[in-house]
Amino acid sequence: MIVLAVLSGGSLRAQTLSREQELERGREIYVRNCAICHGVVLEGMDAPASSQQKTVLAVPPLNEAGRAWLLPDSMLYNVVRLGEHALARKQSAWKMPSLRYSLKKDEIWTVLNYVKSTWTDEQRAGQAQTTLRDQKQSEFEKW
């Protein structure tokens, strides 16, 4: 469930979205901002056929066929917010742009929740464990 502040007659009021409404909102934001590269059904995109470089990477799928579920929430968030600068990878044919000026923090999380909804139960559980390990590691590093 997500709570949004909505202007109503000049005043703010809280609006609670159901899980289904939140996922639909995430899908809409995804289609407007991500689908051009990652595909409408999160299927990704093949590398350009003209490329002969071995370092060329395709735009990865984000659905259950992809590997995004192997990353913790912090990395997924930073990749969307900061773009490919959040990744330590070699030159690729596609450049993941930073969306920090296009999407608000809550919109990024809403999109990520939508993406996660396309994964299998096992992938979501595995990703939750990866996120938990990452959070514990981050807490340890603060000391």
Side-chain angles (χ1 to χ4, degrees):
M1 182 181 304
I2 189 169
V3 178
L4 295 175
V6 179
L7 278 176
S8 175
S11 65
L12 287 175
R13 66 178 171 84
Q15 177 182 349
T16 303
L17 298 180
S18 70
R19 175 82 173 141
E20 293 79 23
Q21 290 170 319
E22 179 185 0
L23 293 177
E24 178 58 25
R25 180 172 176 255
R27 187 191 70 74
E28 290 169 358
I29 297 167
Y30 172 88
V31 167
R32 280 195 316 270
N33 295 277
C34 313
I36 187 129
C37 295
H38 289 281
V40 175
V41 292
L42 299 87
E43 73 275 16
M45 190 180 299
D46 291 335
S50 63
S51 176
Q52 300 300 317
Q53 295 176 312
K54 292 185 184 228
T55 58
V56 171
L57 298 174
V59 176
L62 299 175
N63 59 19
E64 76 284 347
R67 299 181 61 175
W69 65 273
L70 296 170
L71 300 174
D73 282 349
S74 62
M75 179 63 80
L76 293 172
Y77 176 84
N78 283 323
V79 167
V80 175
R81 185 173 180 275
L82 303 174
E84 81 171 58
H85 299 293
L87 300 172
R89 70 179 198 194
K90 296 181 180 180
Q91 182 182 6
S92 68
W94 305 101
K95 304 289 185 195
M96 172 70 188
S98 166
L99 295 177
R100 70 176 154 206
Y101 300 114
S102 302
L103 298 177
K104 298 174 189 162
K105 183 178 181 178
D106 71 303
E107 291 175 319
I108 294 173
W109 287 117
T110 300
V111 167
L112 291 175
N113 286 332
Y114 165 67
V115 169
K116 290 179 186 185
S117 76
T118 69
W119 300 342
T120 66
D121 291 341
E122 293 80 13
Q123 288 170 327
R124 279 192 296 277
Q127 195 271 339
Q129 287 298 315
T130 299
T131 295
L132 185 59
R133 281 191 303 275
D134 179 65
Q135 290 169 342
K136 287 180 180 178
Q137 181 66 31
S138 294
E139 287 297 316
F140 177 75
E141 290 172 354
K142 287 180 183 177
W143 291 93

